[in-house]
Amino acid sequence: MNHRFVLLAPALLTIAAAPQVAPVPAVTPVPLATPVPLPAPSPAPKPYATVGVTIVTSEGPIVLELERERAPITTANFLRYVDGKRFDGTTFYRAMKLGQAGLIQGGVRNATKLIYPPIAHEPTTRTGLTHDDGAISLGRAAPGSGRGDFFIMVGSVPTLDANPAATGDKLGYAVFGHVTSGMEIVRHILGEPTSPTAGPPAMKGQMLIAPIRILTARRVVAKRS
């Protein structure tokens, strides 16, 4: 009995032995890619030089930022009227509605004693400006006849910009700044009643029955830090 038990034991041990495992092949490490540095951010574009002006009307103040770098001739002309106090006591006299957009016009109008000589025309193709919401632009008849009358846009009217592909007068009007505060006053003036008969033929239905007074127009004095 004991001998038979001894003979079976090796067989049991053989069955219980773990199978051999094939060796795992060596893996060659992949070198990491060298990181590519990100390009340096582009510097912020340099802001154009501007000058501030506040027009105080009987309805409230309108603050302007004028483009003394991009529209130097037209800005200098407007500042000449401001510094000479020639807008004081004038009016916004016209409100022209153009669908959802429109404009209000003001200035010295026909007051001969207030008018300076006309200036050279600065078309929007030269300045890069446009007749968008809040733009201030110089009134004129023929190009080069602009003096002391100006208009402020409500909404965008790009048809007032220079257009070399247009027929006739292609030079448009000279934008020289934007309203930075007081557009609610501009919109209020645009909504004022107009006369159906007053004014020259091209402005019939656009002349304000009660023009809005311009009390003063002054440069904005920068606050010292």
Side-chain angles (χ1 to χ4, degrees):
M1 297 288 291
N2 290 336
H3 292 291
R4 295 175 69 182
F5 177 79
V6 172
L7 292 173
L8 289 174
L12 292 173
L13 291 173
T14 302
I15 294 172
Q20 290 185 346
V21 178
V24 178
V27 177
T28 303
V30 178
L32 297 175
T34 303
V36 178
L38 295 175
S42 300
K46 180 183 176 182
Y48 293 102
T50 59
V51 59
V53 168
T54 299
I55 298 175
V56 178
T57 76
S58 56
E59 308 303 302
I62 302 169
V63 182
L64 307 170
E65 187 174 68
L66 306 183
E67 298 282 351
R68 67 188 314 170
E69 185 174 348
R70 289 196 281 183
I73 298 172
T74 317
T75 295
N77 174 73
F78 190 85
L79 292 174
R80 181 170 54 166
Y81 283 89
V82 169
D83 295 339
K85 300 182 180 179
R86 298 201 177 192
F87 288 137
D88 296 10
T90 61
T91 63
F92 282 103
Y93 53 84
R94 182 186 184 194
M96 180 183 182
K97 298 178 179 66
L98 300 166
Q100 298 298 315
L103 60 86
I104 63 171
Q105 184 168 330
V108 299
R109 204 173 176 188
N110 298 320
T112 306
K113 293 182 179 180
L114 300 178
I115 299 173
Y116 288 117
I119 61 169
H121 181 60
E122 287 182 306
T124 54
T125 47
R126 181 188 306 167
T127 63
L129 302 169
T130 187
H131 288 84
D132 53 9
D133 190 48
I136 180 170
S137 191
L138 187 66
R140 69 169 177 85
S145 65
R147 297 184 179 186
D149 291 271
F150 59 92
F151 57 93
I152 299 175
M153 301 302 305
V154 174
S156 179
V157 187
T159 53
L160 298 179
D161 294 344
N163 180 6
T167 57
D169 185 345
K170 304 177 181 182
L171 295 178
Y173 294 86
V175 178
F176 60 100
H178 282 83
V179 173
T180 58
S181 177
M183 278 302 293
E184 71 280 4
I185 305 297
V186 176
R187 294 187 182 92
H188 170 74
I189 296 172
L190 182 63
E192 288 289 284
T194 56
S195 167
T197 58
M203 298 184 184
K204 296 291 185 186
Q206 301 172 12
M207 308 305 288
L208 292 173
I209 294 173
I212 304 302
R213 290 180 297 137
I214 296 175
L215 306 179
T216 61
R218 298 288 185 273
R219 295 192 191 217
V220 175
V221 178
K223 295 181 180 180
R224 295 182 179 180
S225 56

